[in-house]
Amino acid sequence: MRVFDRFTGAETDLPSQVEPGRYRLLVAARLNRSIDLQAGEVLWSDGSARCLLSSGATEEESRRDFLQPPSESDGQVPDSLIDEAIKAVAKQWREWQAGAADQPLPSPVMPAQLGHLAEMNRLEIQLEKTLIAGHLQTIAQRPRMDMRYDTELLPVSRARRVASGAQVRLAAHSEDWARREITGVVPSRLLAEVSEDELAIYENRVFAHLLDRIARLLRHRVRELSALLAKREEAASLSNAERLDYRLREALCRLWGQAFDADETQSAQQVLQTLQRQLGKVRQMQRSPVAQVASLGFTGLTLRNTNILQHDPHYRHLRPLWQLAHADLDQVASTPAERFERSRKAGEEHSEQVGLLIRHALDAIRRHHPRPLTLNRDGLDWLVEASLPGVSMPRLRFVPARRGKQPWCLAPGSIASEERHVVFSHADEGKADQPGADAVLNPLQFYGVERVQQVIEHWLMRHLLAGYPFVVRNVPKALRSSGNDRVMDRPLVAGAERDEVLQAIEKSACNDQTRQALQQAIARLALLDRCRVCGAKSTAWEVSHMAFRAICRDCKNEVTWQKRNGSEAYHSGETGRPFEEVGHLAMRW
């Protein structure tokens, strides 16, 4: 089946392993015999591993598999935490658009709405009460048990209770006779009943499976809360990071400062300690004999009303914990259509979060550069367009995607008059050794706005410098600087020089096309003269053959450009320092 690849911007055959959210259908189709999709819709997963598409062709010809997310491990930011952060940012963005557009843009990092994750939920509160009362520990140490009688063939000296049918078997097996006497047979072995304590009763199986369920939930919560606190500690450390450029440090602190609360962080640390203590006690009870023996049998999700579960002073506390521990299974056991809708909605929310990142980046650029930049939405994608004098600018497309790693090429080739960059919300841990982590931008990434701003400025500067030095052919004699042409390689000094050249252009007998080319070259040089960091005009310009050097009079930002053997080299700012220390302030290609 032919589909449209959102990552590459071209049509392709649907591969055998399908990445959810990457492809857009070209024709209407039905997914897994249950979900009808229209042409132009994005192909998301319905929660199953298979991807069976039927669209007039036979289903066997379109049978594929969805790529499944890897299992989470300790030290890795849980997907649920990232999803919660994206959902909170998207909600803030929608509220801002709906009625608070006159207010400052909401922060795209560390939303304050994540504070509920630092609070204990109903299950953890109930578990804490039950552990304090000692009910679970009592069950692990002194469990209820039943008496089970097993039939075994034992020597007479060990037999305590003769099993039914022992005489019949003894009559048929003379090898178990010790001797025969006139009164009868003296046996050497007998079929006897052996009594054993039975731990694997129904109530103990409930206890064992409840411990397993609670342990999984607590491990996830500990990873989630640990990752959240680690991010907050990382954010707090930025304010005192002397290695960072002070302008970058101030920009980052403005973004994450809206969500940082010292008291909330201290409370979250206390909750984390409580959860870790609870997990330690649950793991200790999982090693008890009753938990290990009883975990072998399945109990089902609905508990039976037994006397022990209803009236035993300790076992009766299992039911409330069981109900709370399995309360979220309704969402897991939803229909394929509901799971597909959740995936589609998550893609919409990530698109809104990416849009907020771009808005912040564009606002930062507009503060220093009078460049007409527009942002438009195309489905899930975002398009940045610019109008520069005398430059045919391809659109810059940002493509939100779910999971992956793909390096951002800062000098990509144009595809249908577009340059595209894929923005992932989740990193692909299976590609940990591959480049492309910079393209993973979610609310837990503090440098998201910086990376987007650097891409946009890189795109602008590359096209603004295209054709430098600007040569206008066959100009009037009064405007010539090289033969019959006018070579413009430095901005005009404001004042007498600028006025003189503009007046000469207006009074000259050049045609409209030449006059427009001269005016556009002057305007492009004026944009190049403006510092990309602070917006001030550069005062020191040094120009040589196919090269220039400009230094800002205010922030002392230095820009160099040269072209040798057909390749360009551009440096702006302290390009020798890593991105984490200077952000968008340094740029090179």
Side-chain angles (χ1 to χ4, degrees), residues 38 125 177 293 319 339 428:
Q38 301 300 318
I125 294 174
W177 298 353
V293 172
R319 183 179 295 276
R339 293 193 293 268
D428 189 348

Side-chain angles (χ1 to χ4, degrees), residues 92-103:
Q92 290 179 340
W93 165 258
R94 289 191 296 269
E95 292 174 351
W96 182 87
Q97 286 182 312
D102 57 335
Q103 301 295 323

Side-chain angles (χ1 to χ4, degrees), residues 67-73 76 79 403 426-431:
L67 288 176
Q68 299 299 307
S71 57
E72 296 179 358
S73 58
Q76 175 186 342
D79 287 353
R403 186 184 302 277
H426 298 70
D428 189 348
E429 300 299 332
K431 301 178 181 178

Side-chain angles (χ1 to χ4, degrees), residues 464-473 475 479-482 485-493 497-498 501-502 505 514-526 528 541 543-544 546-548 561:
L464 188 59
L465 283 167
Y468 178 89
F470 311 121
V471 180
V472 183
R473 305 292 182 184
V475 299
L479 297 173
R480 294 173 183 173
S481 62
S482 176
D485 307 327
R486 173 81 181 197
V487 178
M488 308 188 73
D489 56 5
R490 70 179 67 217
L492 299 177
V493 179
E497 180 186 5
R498 180 181 179 86
V501 174
L502 292 177
I505 293 174
T514 302
R515 182 178 289 107
Q516 183 181 12
L518 289 169
Q519 294 171 344
Q520 289 175 346
I522 293 173
R524 292 174 69 176
L525 286 170
L528 286 175
W541 268 75
V543 179
S544 62
M546 300 302 289
F548 73 82
W561 176 89

